[in-house]
Amino acid sequence: EAGVAQSPRYKIIEKRQSVAFWCNPISGHATLYWYQQILGQGPKLLIQFQNNGVVDDSQLPKDRFSAERLKGVDSTLKIQPAKLEDSAVYLCASSQGDLRNTQYFGPGTRLTVL
Amino acid sequence: AQSVTQLGSHVSVSEGALVLLRCNYSSSVPPYLFWYVQYPNQGLQLLLKYTTGATLVKGINGFEAEFKKSETSFHLTKPSAHMSDAAEYFCAVSVGNEKLTFGTGTRLTIIP
C-alpha cells in the first residue's frame, strides 16, 4: 500500500514569510498527526485530527500556525509569519485509530527559515 | 505528565556485537511504549510496541525490548549489530490515550 505522502520535501524561506505543507495519509486512516522535529530532538505533536475534527492542538502555536483537514483526508499545515525558531522537519503521520495503533510517518518536510 | 529519558545520545558498537539502547519513562499509570527508528532524510518507522500482555516484545529487524515496570524501563536490544542498523532510535510513551511523548533520540553507529 502507498505510504504517507508529504510535499514539498524541502523549503527555504525568510522570516516573516508564510509557508504551507501538504500531507496525504494512508488510505482509510482516520487519524492524522502533524509533528515538529527540531534538530537534535524527538518529534513533538503539533496537532491531531480524527477524520476532519481536531482531537489535540494543545501544543500548536495558534498565533502563527494553522492546520486543516478538509473532507477527512488530506491535510495542510501553514505557518504565517515564520520565525527563525520554526526551522525544523515537519512530519505527518497517520493511523487507523487510537494510540495503540501504529502511526505511519511520511518522509517529512525540512523547513529552513533565514 | 509522562516523560521519556534516553540515556546516551550517541552509541557505537562493533558489527556483530550486542546493541543496547536505554529508555526509561515516567508515568503514574501503565503506559504504552514504543521504539521507532529514523534513517537519514526519512520519517520514523515503528520497530516494536508494548501495549498489554507479554512484557518481552519482538520487533522487526531482529530487535526486541522488555517492559520492566519495577525499573520503569523499556530498553531496546539486538544480539548482533549489522551495518544497516546505523540510524537514530527514538523511544516514546503514551499514557491512556494521550499523545505520544518522544525521547531525544539515540544515534547508533556501527563500527566495521
Side-chain angles (χ1 to χ4, degrees), chain B residues 41-59:
Chain B
N41 297 315
Q42 295 186 28
L44 281 72
Q45 179 184 9
L46 181 70
L47 278 177
L48 48 81
K49 63 180 177 182
Y50 169 80
T51 54
T52 59
T55 57
L56 181 63
V57 181
K58 295 186 184 299

Side-chain angles (χ1 to χ4, degrees), chain A residues 13-81:
Chain A
I13 61 172
E14 299 198 348
K15 60 183 179 184
R16 291 188 289 273
Q17 286 187 325
S18 63
V19 65
F21 312 127
W22 173 81
C23 172
N24 184 25
I26 292 174
S27 178
H29 281 192
T31 310
L32 185 146
Y33 311 80
W34 282 103
Y35 289 87
Q36 180 191 58
Q37 186 178 17
I38 293 173
L39 187 64
Q41 298 181 21
K44 181 185 80 172
L45 181 70
L46 292 176
I47 189 166
Q48 176 185 344
F49 291 96
Q50 182 79 13
N51 296 307
N52 60 351
V54 175
V55 173
D56 185 345
D57 64 355
S58 58
Q59 298 190 107
L60 186 73
K62 298 180 186 62
D63 58 334
R64 297 183 301 105
F65 286 65
S66 65
E68 60 182 9
R69 190 183 183 196
L70 299 176
K71 301 180 182 178
V73 182
D74 294 8
S75 178
T76 303
L77 177 69
K78 297 179 181 177
I79 308 175
Q80 181 179 9

Side-chain angles (χ1 to χ4, degrees), chain B residues 81-94:
Chain B
H82 191 272
M83 295 299 295
S84 60
D85 295 328
E88 184 118 24
Y89 292 79
F90 292 93
C91 182
V93 62
S94 173

Side-chain angles (χ1 to χ4, degrees), chain A residues 9 37 59 99-100 102 106, chain B residues 32 38 41 43 49 98:
Chain A
R9 289 296 312 276
Q37 186 178 17
Q59 298 190 107
L99 285 164
R100 289 167 294 182
T102 300
Chain B
Y32 301 150
Q38 187 174 34
N41 297 315
K49 63 180 177 182
E98 295 189 8

